[in-house]
Amino acid sequence: MSRPPAKKRTRAVRLPAAARRQAILDAAKDIFLKEGYARTTMRRIATQLGITPTTLYLHFADKETLMHAICQDAMRVLAEGFARVGREAKNPADAFERFFDVYMQFGFAHPREYRLLFMSEAPAFVPGHRNRPDKARDPADQGQQAFGALEVLVKRLMDEGIFRKGDPAATAEAIWASVHGLVSLLITYPDFAWSERSKLFEAMRGMMRNGFLAK
């Protein structure tokens, strides 16, 4: 009786370091989303890529470092978008209008990253929008930069009498949470009979704008 032919091992293609890093990040995103961060191991990610765990560890020291890199890379896109708004807007009111477009475009252009960042159970070590009390502030943290840009904008709107006085940080958090609600629903239920997106976005902008205007 003849033996079945042995399965050939798939050998990983040798990639430049930058390309290998991106391939690891892409594979990790998929596995974290499908199987959950807690259940995912570095060996599982290496197997998915067809590389050895040793090769994986050359790029990322552990699973926490890998997750942190995913978060930072994604939030960098958002932080750069907010910074661009700050440079190009005519005034704070114009910047506030543009903030919504930048945030929504980010969510729809990067749905996997958005789900992982804002719609999954993030590990406790992943930095948030501000530094934790037990940690020194990291000026390079992209999440802090993105939220900081919105907080500074809200404070300017309050200082110039456009928005009513209040806590800039709490107001910025409320704005972020509200826009996140719309974006997450559109990502989660794309086939729902939503109104035209442009109308939804304008309704959101109007609600936020009018809700905080100084009387």
Side-chain angles (χ1 to χ4, degrees):
M1 182 176 179
S2 60
R3 293 182 179 179
K7 291 184 179 179
K8 292 183 179 180
R9 290 187 63 185
T10 301
R11 300 186 67 179
V13 178
R14 192 174 185 83
L15 297 173
R20 174 64 70 198
R21 178 185 185 277
Q22 189 58 53
I24 292 171
L25 292 174
D26 289 341
K29 289 173 199 173
D30 286 338
I31 298 172
F32 285 156
L33 284 170
K34 291 175 183 176
E35 302 177 15
Y37 174 84
R39 292 187 295 276
T40 301
T41 63
M42 293 289 273
R43 182 174 293 279
R44 171 73 179 88
I45 296 169
T47 300
Q48 177 74 16
L49 288 163
I51 61 177
T52 65
T54 301
T55 301
L56 182 56
Y57 285 118
L58 290 175
H59 295 271
F60 297 99
D62 49 37
K63 188 170 66 168
E64 292 185 5
T65 305
L66 178 50
M67 181 65 168
H68 187 270
I70 292 172
C71 293
Q72 291 297 298
D73 284 358
M75 291 303 294
R76 183 175 292 107
V77 176
L78 194 56
E80 289 174 352
F82 289 168
R84 185 171 60 253
V85 165
R87 293 191 303 269
E88 298 175 356
K90 301 173 185 176
N91 50 56
D94 180 40
F96 185 73
E97 299 286 322
R98 296 190 187 196
F99 158 80
F100 295 98
D101 291 330
V102 169
Y103 190 94
M104 291 176 186
Q105 288 166 8
F106 166 75
F108 301 137
H110 306 88
R112 288 191 308 158
E113 290 85 348
Y114 194 92
R115 283 180 179 274
L116 198 56
L117 282 167
F118 302 122
M119 300 168 67
S120 62
E121 188 175 348
F125 66 85
V126 174
H129 62 295
R130 61 166 60 92
N131 59 302
R132 286 170 38 180
D134 60 335
K135 299 284 185 181
R137 185 181 183 279
D138 180 3
D141 185 270
Q142 300 301 311
Q144 292 179 24
Q145 286 194 23
F147 180 77
L150 175 60
E151 187 177 356
V152 168
L153 173 59
V154 169
K155 187 176 186 307
R156 285 188 62 192
L157 288 162
M158 290 178 176
D159 291 343
E160 295 185 17
I162 299 171
F163 277 10
R164 64 178 180 271
K165 295 293 183 181
D167 183 333
T171 301
E173 286 177 353
I175 291 168
W176 193 304
S178 297
V179 182
H180 160 70
L182 177 57
V183 173
S184 62
L185 282 171
L186 289 169
I187 289 175
T188 305
Y189 303 105
D191 298 325
F192 188 77
W194 298 105
S195 296
E196 196 175 304
R197 279 191 178 181
S198 61
K199 294 179 180 179
L200 274 174
F201 297 167
E202 182 51 41
M204 172 64 72
R205 272 192 290 265
M207 181 177 70
M208 291 290 102
R209 183 196 316 119
N210 298 329
F212 292 108
L213 282 178
K215 303 301 182 184

